[in-house]
Each structure stands twice: as structure tokens, then as C-alpha cells.
Amino acid sequence: MFADYLLGLFATEPRRAKAVYNVCRGRRTVSTLFAGLTYQELAWLDSWHGVPLEKFEAAAQTLVEAGWLTAPQAGYWQLTPAGEAQQVKLKKTLYQPVAWQQFQQVDVRRFTALSQLALQVVSEYSHQAKRYYPVTTDPGIQAVVKGWFRRWRSADLVAMIVTELREFLTTLSTELATIFVQSLTGYEQPGQTDQQLAEQFNRSVVEILVIRKDLSCQWVAWLQAHPDGPLADLLRPLVKINSVSTSAWQTYQTFLQTPDLDQIAGRRHLKLSTVREHLLETAILITDFPFDRLLTPTIVAPLNQLFGSETAVSTWRFDQVQAAAPALDFFWFRLYQIMRCQRAA
């Protein structure tokens, strides 16, 4: 059940439900990213891209009715003692994804569609089959795979793909390798549905969905580590420089040239507030952000005095800052929070 995975995203401290939902569906506002950072859930960013809010709320209600979640205040949920025990149990018995951070680095969903069609095309080609139903009718996906096949078509292509697949499959357990292979469509072999795989492996349909998504991410990571083959060529255009949005990364590159935010806004033709949002996003999503270029000793001193010994960053309140240092802008407070989170990691 989706609710089983949802339970794993909550803790004994209250967490904002809408923030957890927005992390899962990949909303990239600074407030969502900051919640993902403080909840240690950034690896789940965009992992449940299409899940509707209604399904999320219904799953949460199931957990409340089971006595595993409670709402200490409107919009917040936290684990009950029984929920904490159930979470521990599920983490031992439920498949836990290991590579979902790839959702931030690569367009995994598009590559999954491209690679499934490419593998089908190569399988049919190996049997000289010319008439078959493609696994997807998406014209954009088909066009990309046609171009890829024209570039790589040769007497060696089938052997190259088989070798890549075999080498990747050796990195997986027998169960995961079987699920990966049986999900594929090839010559006279339709890929099995999640329902069929769930029955075969005695897992829930949602668990099979999680496994297949994680296998796609592991496949992506393996191909990035083996970049010379035909399937890595199909992947390459979908790989991002990093998980930061393009515009925010451009702002960050300008910041590396000058720490003056007004100058950056002028050069980038952006509002100052947008520049600040871009820098906060970058500070959350990269591990080597140069905080000291912005957080001067004058800015940090009152914040250290207020929060120096406190580690629960998400509980800090800006009104505490306003009372102690009225001139200090919220931007500096949030950047300081991010710095403390990153340096504690």
C-alpha cells in the first residue's frame, strides 16, 4: 500500500503534511526544498511525481485510523508510539529504494520510456522482425529511439546491448534482476504488469511499482558509470549538471563572480527576491555552497547567540530573530538555517 511508504516519511516530531506531499511530487519551491532538507527527505524529491493530493490524503487518513499517525495541530502529522513501531517493522520488511536521488539528476521517467522502447527495438531487430506493436505510441519517444537506432545499428549492436544488460543484472539480487527483465517487452514477450509481478513475488502492487522505479534509477546510475555504450548514449541528453534548476544555477555562477546581490540582479535582469530564492535553492541542493561569502560575522553573531546550541533547526522561529535583531532580514535567517543543516550532515 502507498500508505506503508507514506508512514516512512513521518517522525515523532510534527511534520507539515503539505510539505511532505510537495517533496514527493517534486515541487521545487524553497519552502518545500527546505522541508525536505530538515526532514532528511531530499532523496525522495520528485519520486512520486504523479501522485494526486487526494490519494496522499486518503493514505494519511488510513494511517490515522490505524492509530499510527496523529495530528497535533492542523496541517501537521507525527508518529504515535504504535506508528513508530510499525515504521520500524515496515523498514525491515518493505522494499526500501536505494537510488531515488537519481530523480534529481536525470529525467528518469523519460529515460525509462526511451530505454524500454530501445530494448524492444533491439530485441525485434535480433529476430529480423519488422512488424510489431511498440511498447509506447508516444511520437516524441519513438522519434528519439529511431534516431538512436539509426546511429547505432550494426552487426554488433545486439551483442553490445546483451553484454550491458548482463553486466548490470549481475549487480542485482536474483529477485530484482528477474523483476527488471520480466518488466521488459521484446520479441514475442510482452512485459509483465505490476499486478502479475506482485502475484509472482508475493508483494503488493505498490511495492512492485517502487521496485521498478528504483531499478530504473539503479539502471541510470550504472549507465552513467559505463558511459561508452549505446544505452548510455540514449541517456546522456537527459543528465543534468546537478539537481539545481537551470536559472538558479546561472544565478549561482554569477554569484561566484560577485557576492553583491544587487549586482547579480542587475546582470541577470531579475528581481532581488528571485536572486535570493535562487541562492537558497542552490544552498539546499549542493554540498559545497560558500556560505561564508554571504553570512558575515556581523550577520552570524546574533544568530549564533540565539541558536548556537540548538540542533532542531526546523523549530527555530523568525520572530525570535526579530525580537533580538530587528534589522535582520528573513533571507539571512533561512540561509543560516540551511548552513547549520548542511554542516551537521
Side-chain angles (χ1 to χ4, degrees):
M1 293 174 60
F2 174 63
D4 291 336
Y5 283 101
L6 180 59
L7 185 68
L9 298 178
F10 287 92
T12 53
E13 298 78 26
R15 290 185 174 180
R16 190 159 55 91
K18 193 64 178 292
V20 173
Y21 169 71
N22 283 332
V23 168
C24 290
R25 76 185 184 104
R27 193 174 186 202
R28 299 180 66 87
T29 63
V30 168
S31 62
T32 295
L33 295 174
F34 181 70
L37 177 67
T38 55
Y39 298 162
Q40 298 181 334
E41 290 173 359
L42 281 178
W44 287 67
L45 183 64
D46 205 26
S47 58
W48 289 93
H49 182 77
V51 64
L53 179 60
E54 295 77 13
K55 181 175 181 178
F56 180 89
E57 291 176 334
Q61 185 58 37
T62 300
L63 297 172
V64 171
E65 292 171 357
W68 295 334
L69 278 187
T70 186
Q73 57 180 300
Y76 286 79
W77 289 324
Q78 68 185 76
L79 293 175
T80 63
E84 187 178 12
Q86 178 67 5
Q87 187 186 78
V88 171
K89 177 183 174 182
L90 287 173
K91 286 186 176 180
K92 293 178 180 177
T93 59
L94 199 66
Y95 180 84
Q96 300 297 315
V98 298
W100 276 14
Q101 67 271 20
Q102 291 295 331
F103 283 116
Q104 299 178 49
Q105 304 288 347
V106 178
D107 189 342
V108 175
R109 281 176 290 276
R110 184 169 178 81
F111 177 71
T112 300
L114 288 169
S115 61
Q116 286 179 341
L117 180 57
L119 290 171
Q120 181 189 16
V121 167
V122 172
S123 176
E124 301 287 357
Y125 170 67
S126 70
H127 292 86
Q128 291 81 49
K130 296 183 179 180
R131 296 181 63 84
Y132 54 89
Y133 292 104
V135 70
T136 177
T137 58
D138 184 312
I141 297 294
Q142 289 187 355
V144 171
V145 173
K146 284 179 182 177
W148 169 83
F149 185 61
R150 282 195 296 268
R151 291 195 306 274
W152 285 91
R153 182 173 180 174
S154 71
D156 299 325
L157 177 59
V158 175
M160 293 169 69
I161 295 293
V162 169
T163 298
E164 283 195 319
L165 278 172
R166 283 178 174 166
E167 290 182 359
F168 169 63
L169 293 173
T170 61
T171 68
L172 306 174
S173 68
T174 300
E175 180 187 37
L176 294 183
T178 304
I179 291 173
F180 184 86
V181 170
Q182 292 186 354
S183 299
L184 301 175
T185 294
Y187 177 72
E188 296 184 348
Q189 179 62 50
Q192 293 193 18
T193 65
D194 288 348
Q195 182 65 52
Q196 291 172 320
L197 291 168
E199 292 172 1
Q200 179 180 346
F201 291 96
N202 194 29
R203 293 181 181 269
S204 72
V205 172
V206 171
E207 195 172 9
I208 291 295
L209 173 61
V210 168
I211 289 172
R212 287 200 305 104
K213 289 200 293 184
D214 195 46
L215 286 172
S216 290
C217 290
Q218 291 185 52
W219 182 219
V220 162
W222 188 90
L223 288 170
Q224 286 183 282
H226 301 79
D228 299 325
L231 289 168
D233 179 54
L234 196 62
L235 172 67
R236 198 167 293 114
L238 304 179
V239 178
K240 306 169 188 176
I241 296 174
N242 51 56
S243 55
V244 180
S245 64
T246 301
S247 186
W249 188 250
Q250 291 171 348
T251 296
Y252 176 63
Q253 295 305 305
T254 307
F255 162 72
L256 294 178
Q257 299 170 18
T258 173
D260 188 307
L261 303 191
D262 290 314
Q263 286 188 25
I264 296 171
R267 291 189 192 181
R268 295 272 292 118
H269 305 291
L270 298 172
K271 294 179 180 178
L272 178 60
S273 60
T274 303
V275 170
R276 288 180 164 187
E277 291 281 306
H278 284 174
L279 292 176
L280 291 174
E281 176 187 339
T282 308
I284 291 170
L285 293 175
I286 69 172
T287 57
D288 57 351
F289 187 89
F291 291 99
D292 293 341
R293 296 192 70 185
L294 287 170
L295 292 172
T296 64
T298 301
I299 293 172
V300 168
L303 295 170
N304 277 341
Q305 188 170 2
L306 283 170
F307 307 115
S309 60
E310 296 185 25
T311 57
V313 174
S314 62
T315 66
W316 301 352
R317 301 192 316 275
F318 183 55
D319 58 6
Q320 296 173 269
V321 179
Q322 290 179 304
L328 206 61
D329 189 89
F330 180 79
F331 169 73
W332 305 111
F333 169 62
R334 180 63 89 214
L335 189 64
Y336 177 79
Q337 284 182 297
I338 295 168
M339 179 186 71
R340 288 287 298 273
C341 286
Q342 297 286 30
R343 292 183 175 175

